[in-house]
Structure formats: C-alpha cells, structure tokens
Amino acid sequence: TLLHCWWECKLVQPLWKTAWIFLKELKVELLFDPVIQLLGIYPKEISHYIKKTLAHTYMAAQFTIAKIWDQPKCPLTNEWIEKMWYIYIMEYYSAIKRNEIMAFTAT
C-alpha cells in the first residue's frame, strides 16, 4: 500500500526517525505520525514558521525516499540533508528575486 511504501517500510523508517530527531533538536515537539509527515496536517497551535520548517523537512525526506523507491536499500541521511539544503537555497534565491529577503530571514 501507499502508506507502507512511504511510512511503514522498515527501509524508510530510519530516515523518518532521523527527520523526527532533527526536529526535536530544533525544539519542535510532534507526534511520530504519518498524517503530519505525509499529508501536511499540522496541529493548529504550530506557528507559520515552524510549519514551513516542517514542510521542508518532510518534503526533502519524501524526495529522498522517492528517488530510491525501487531499490532494496535504506535512503541515506546525506541525501536527505542535501535535499534540505537545496530546498533552503532555492527558497532563499526566490525570496531575493521577489525582494522579500527580510521575510525569509525572519523564517
């Protein structure tokens, strides 16, 4: 099933746990729940800036998982981190282009 491929599979669990630990280090306390990670349904009390961080973190994990979905190996944490940096850099340059750099630095 789709839920198994993206969430329950023993090969992708280490990547999701790494992402969850990363967010805990940023002082973002969330349940380890596929609804949050896969559907982007966040608790109402979470601020806009935290939601953006969560979206980037989960998007990078999903891209990393999708890249190797047909291979019998665990997604690498390095690939996830590289994808997070790529998303961050693209958002940074997009903010510069839109002349919204101050809003981006606040995030």
Side-chain angles (χ1 to χ4, degrees):
T1 66
L2 193 58
L3 183 63
H4 173 77
C5 294
W6 285 101
W7 183 254
E8 295 171 346
C9 177
K10 297 294 181 201
L11 294 175
V12 300
Q13 278 295 310
L15 182 66
W16 283 120
K17 288 187 190 294
T18 302
W20 190 67
I21 290 168
F22 168 76
L23 291 169
K24 273 185 93 170
E25 289 178 9
L26 292 177
K27 307 284 189 266
V28 177
E29 294 291 331
L30 286 175
L31 296 173
F32 192 64
D33 183 5
V35 171
I36 296 170
Q37 282 85 351
L38 300 177
L39 300 177
I41 300 173
Y42 308 108
K44 291 182 181 185
E45 63 272 3
I46 293 180
S47 74
H48 171 72
Y49 299 116
I50 298 294
K51 285 181 186 177
K52 231 174 159 154
T53 302
L54 292 171
H56 292 164
T57 303
Y58 299 145
M59 190 183 321
Q62 289 172 346
F63 278 127
T64 305
I65 293 166
K67 185 176 178 182
I68 64 151
W69 72 273
D70 61 344
Q71 300 171 16
K73 67 176 187 174
C74 178
L76 299 175
T77 305
N78 278 1
E79 292 176 6
W80 170 65
I81 292 170
E82 287 173 11
K83 185 58 74 176
M84 282 193 50
W85 271 112
Y86 176 78
I87 292 169
Y88 176 82
I89 290 168
M90 290 300 110
E91 186 164 311
Y92 172 77
Y93 285 119
S94 177
I96 288 174
K97 188 173 183 178
R98 291 188 317 258
N99 202 16
E100 296 175 356
I101 192 65
M102 292 311 290
F104 175 78
T105 56
T107 303

